[in-house]
Amino acid sequence: FHSGEREEKCIIEDIPSDTLVVGNYKVQRWDIHMHDFLESAPGLGMFVTVRSPTNEVLLSKLYGPQGTFTFTSYISGEHIICFQSNSTRFAVIAGSKLRIHLDVRVGEHFLDESAIQAKDKVNEVNVRLEHLIEQIHHVTREQEYEREREEKFRKTSEETNSNILWWAIVQTLILISVGIWQIKSLRDFFISKKLV
């Protein structure tokens, strides 16, 4: 995504509880003379801030023009990940555009292939088995989180349907009472005018 040099950009990630999140990013600065983004942005860093669904700061750190950040969610919900450059130029001068490449991986634990090759076959199978068990736990947490969200959505839908039913009953009673009042008023009017 693109951002201004002094602008803060945020993304929202829906993350289950107790989940490791790994983010990799790289910043490129626009070069006016070349009319293209430079491969790197030397001297430019990024403030990375992560907030939980309760607005608690989980991570707030200054990184370089490219880096990796990690955090673990302790509560499920929408986490906000914000990026802002550490540019010290005045807002009038800091008109440069930035291109930020971002890769966020939720709940993944990566195998170190070089460590696996260095060990014998039994250890390799053991490490791979532990990795699979971690992935199974992650999938289980994801399913539990989705179950919680579906249950919350179902409760909200049932409450809404109940409210709609009561509102329809109230409207019907109001219409019946207005109809009875109109009939009584018309009858009294016709009697007073001696039309009936």
Side-chain angles (χ1 to χ4, degrees), residues 11 13 15 21-24 69 81 83 102-106:
I11 63 166
E13 282 289 325
I15 304 170
V21 178
V22 179
N24 295 310
F69 61 91
I81 305 170
F83 297 89
L102 178 63
D103 179 28
V104 177
R105 296 183 181 178
V106 178

Side-chain angles (χ1 to χ4, degrees), residues 17-196:
S17 62
D18 299 325
T19 303
L20 177 69
V21 178
V22 179
N24 295 310
Y25 74 90
K26 176 179 157 186
V27 180
Q28 295 176 305
R29 181 182 285 172
W30 176 257
D31 188 354
I32 298 172
H33 305 294
M34 295 177 63
H35 297 295
D36 196 12
F37 286 97
L38 298 175
E39 191 55 36
S40 66
L44 190 67
M46 294 297 284
F47 284 108
V48 178
T49 306
V50 178
R51 294 185 180 278
S52 70
T54 59
N55 210 21
E56 179 182 340
V57 177
L58 299 177
L59 173 73
S60 181
K61 189 173 178 184
L62 175 63
Y63 292 92
Q66 74 181 56
T68 300
F69 61 91
T70 59
F71 68 94
T72 302
S73 64
Y74 68 91
I75 186 172
S76 58
E78 294 181 342
H79 290 68
I80 301 171
I81 305 170
C82 296
F83 297 89
Q84 185 176 19
S85 72
N86 69 339
S87 174
T88 57
R89 295 159 88 187
F90 291 113
V92 177
I93 302 172
S96 183
K97 289 281 183 198
L98 302 175
R99 177 185 288 167
I100 302 171
H101 301 270
L102 178 63
D103 179 28
V104 177
R105 296 183 181 178
V106 178
E108 290 192 27
H109 301 280
F110 303 100
L111 292 173
D112 185 6
E113 294 295 330
S114 62
I116 291 175
Q117 291 173 356
K119 297 180 179 181
D120 60 337
K121 289 291 183 187
V122 174
N123 286 342
E124 179 181 346
V125 170
N126 189 22
V127 169
R128 290 194 184 272
L129 188 61
E130 288 175 2
H131 179 70
L132 285 174
I133 290 171
E134 268 186 42
Q135 286 183 330
I136 289 171
H137 288 307
H138 173 68
V139 168
T140 304
R141 283 193 304 269
E142 284 276 341
Q143 288 176 335
E144 288 172 3
Y145 177 58
E146 290 301 321
R147 230 178 265 123
E148 289 172 9
R149 288 183 60 193
E150 191 231 338
E151 184 177 331
K152 187 188 301 181
F153 179 74
R154 188 172 11 91
K155 284 181 182 177
T156 304
S157 296
E158 288 172 357
E159 288 174 5
T160 304
N161 287 339
S162 174
N163 290 341
I164 289 172
L165 174 68
W166 284 110
W167 178 243
I169 291 171
V170 167
Q171 279 183 329
T172 304
L173 291 175
I174 289 172
L175 286 174
I176 290 172
S177 61
V178 167
I180 291 171
W181 177 78
Q182 282 182 337
I183 290 172
K184 184 179 178 317
S185 297
L186 278 174
R187 195 182 74 169
D188 292 343
F189 174 75
F190 288 143
I191 289 174
S192 68
K193 295 294 181 182
K194 297 184 182 182
L195 296 173
V196 176

